[in-house]
Amino acid sequence: MKRLLITIFALTLLYCLAACGDQNTESSLASVSSVSSTAFEQESSEAGTSLASDSEASAQGGDSNILIAYFTMPEDVDTSNVDSIAGTSIVVNDGEVMGNVEYMASIIQAAVGGDLFQIETVEQYPLDHDALVDQAANEQDENARPKLSTHIENPDQYDTIILGYPNWWGDMPQALYTFLEEYDFSGKTIIPFCPHGGSGFSRTESTIAELQPDATVRTDGLTISRNDVAGSAEAVTEWAKGLGL
């Protein structure tokens, strides 16, 4: 009987020790899981902060003191037909359809650096040629100031504004008037470039100088026939590099 009691006591003790061991193991696993989860959440939070910072930095643009601001309006044409492209306001570059001014702006940036900024309006212009030229004429008649949908985040950053626009009816698009009246470029240098249909700058450099009387508007801007824009990469590059920026 005594031996039986000793055996029962020993088995009971072993069972209790095993149970305590299982509880300790579960508690340890729970602690490790909690620490790992906390560390993961912290790393994710830090990574999220880093990504947000990168996004904000990207939104701020570069640190250049040159801004290449341009207004471009590519017409909606059949780009598979080379004849249909001739004389329009687009360039097909490596399969990408670009507006004439946009294409020139990209070449200028490749030559001298700088930040690209596209001047865009809230109201979309028609891409059909006839409708587009009619709207441009109407805006001129009304001396309109189309509302812009894009804005320079830090205009004080830039010392030089390379300004591109098409020649519409012997003048700048009215959106350029809005743009030049929105900012004070006093003390800065403005350098115009313009593809045209035969009229060159049409004295738009003087108009820019009137709208920005305290800026220096250079007289060595670049104007190219819209028929020659597609093959103008070398000429645009040479001009841009010759600006001494």
Side-chain angles (χ1 to χ4, degrees), residues 23 71 98 110 120 156 192 232:
Q23 286 180 348
F71 178 85
M98 307 175 73
E120 299 183 75
D156 292 338
S232 68

Side-chain angles (χ1 to χ4, degrees), residues 24-85:
N24 288 335
T25 300
E26 289 174 2
S27 178
S28 297
L29 287 173
S31 297
V32 170
S33 176
S34 176
V35 170
S36 298
S37 177
T38 301
F40 176 77
E41 289 172 1
Q42 183 176 359
E43 290 173 3
S44 297
S45 176
E46 290 174 354
T49 301
S50 176
L51 289 173
S53 298
D54 291 344
S55 177
E56 289 171 2
S58 176
Q60 294 293 328
D63 57 0
S64 175
N65 66 343
I66 300 173
L67 181 70
I68 306 167
Y70 66 94
F71 178 85
T72 196
M73 191 52 55
E75 297 170 21
D76 186 13
V77 298
D78 179 11
T79 58
S80 64
N81 184 350
V82 176
D83 291 337
S84 70
I85 299 174

Side-chain angles (χ1 to χ4, degrees), residues 155-172:
D156 292 338
Q157 171 182 334
Y158 303 103
D159 299 323
T160 302
I161 316 295
I162 304 178
L163 184 61
Y165 50 90
N167 184 323
W168 281 1
W169 294 105
D171 200 352
M172 299 184 298

Side-chain angles (χ1 to χ4, degrees), residues 14-239:
L14 288 173
Y15 177 79
C16 291
L17 290 171
C20 289
D22 288 343
Q23 286 180 348
N24 288 335
T25 300
E26 289 174 2
S27 178
S28 297
L29 287 173
S31 297
V32 170
S33 176
S34 176
V35 170
S36 298
S37 177
T38 301
F40 176 77
E41 289 172 1
Q42 183 176 359
E43 290 173 3
S44 297
S45 176
E46 290 174 354
T49 301
S50 176
L51 289 173
S53 298
D54 291 344
S55 177
E56 289 171 2
S58 176
Q60 294 293 328
D63 57 0
S64 175
N65 66 343
I66 300 173
L67 181 70
I68 306 167
Y70 66 94
F71 178 85
T72 196
M73 191 52 55
E75 297 170 21
D76 186 13
V77 298
D78 179 11
T79 58
S80 64
N81 184 350
V82 176
D83 291 337
S84 70
I85 299 174
T88 63
S89 59
I90 67 168
V91 172
V92 181
N93 182 39
D94 292 333
E96 181 183 2
V97 179
M98 307 175 73
N100 278 348
V101 188
E102 177 186 16
Y103 176 67
M104 293 175 67
S106 69
I107 296 172
I108 294 168
Q109 184 190 42
V112 300
D115 297 334
L116 287 174
F117 173 79
Q118 184 173 349
I119 301 167
E120 299 183 75
T121 57
V122 172
E123 180 183 351
Q124 298 298 306
Y125 284 86
L127 298 182
D128 176 72
H129 178 77
D130 292 338
L132 178 60
V133 296
D134 286 346
Q135 180 164 334
N138 290 336
E139 287 185 350
Q140 282 189 8
D141 291 343
E142 297 170 0
N143 196 26
R145 295 294 186 270
K147 186 176 181 180
L148 303 183
S149 61
T150 55
H151 307 276
I152 305 172
E153 187 165 347
N154 184 18
D156 292 338
Q157 171 182 334
Y158 303 103
D159 299 323
T160 302
I161 316 295
I162 304 178
L163 184 61
Y165 50 90
N167 184 323
W168 281 1
W169 294 105
D171 200 352
M172 299 184 298
Q174 294 301 123
L176 266 292
Y177 284 83
T178 308
F179 174 78
L180 290 167
E181 291 172 354
E182 180 173 338
Y183 302 99
D184 180 5
F185 292 139
S186 296
K188 303 180 187 296
T189 298
I190 302 175
I191 309 172
F193 68 96
C194 170
H196 63 91
S199 302
F201 274 123
S202 297
R203 293 184 55 79
T204 52
E205 317 103 298
S206 300
T207 303
I208 296 171
E210 291 171 4
L211 293 170
Q212 292 286 337
D214 295 320
T216 298
V217 181
R218 287 178 50 165
T219 58
D220 57 348
L222 177 66
T223 179
I224 293 180
S225 169
R226 67 184 183 187
N227 296 326
D228 298 330
V229 171
S232 68
E234 185 176 347
V236 174
T237 300
E238 182 179 357
W239 169 77

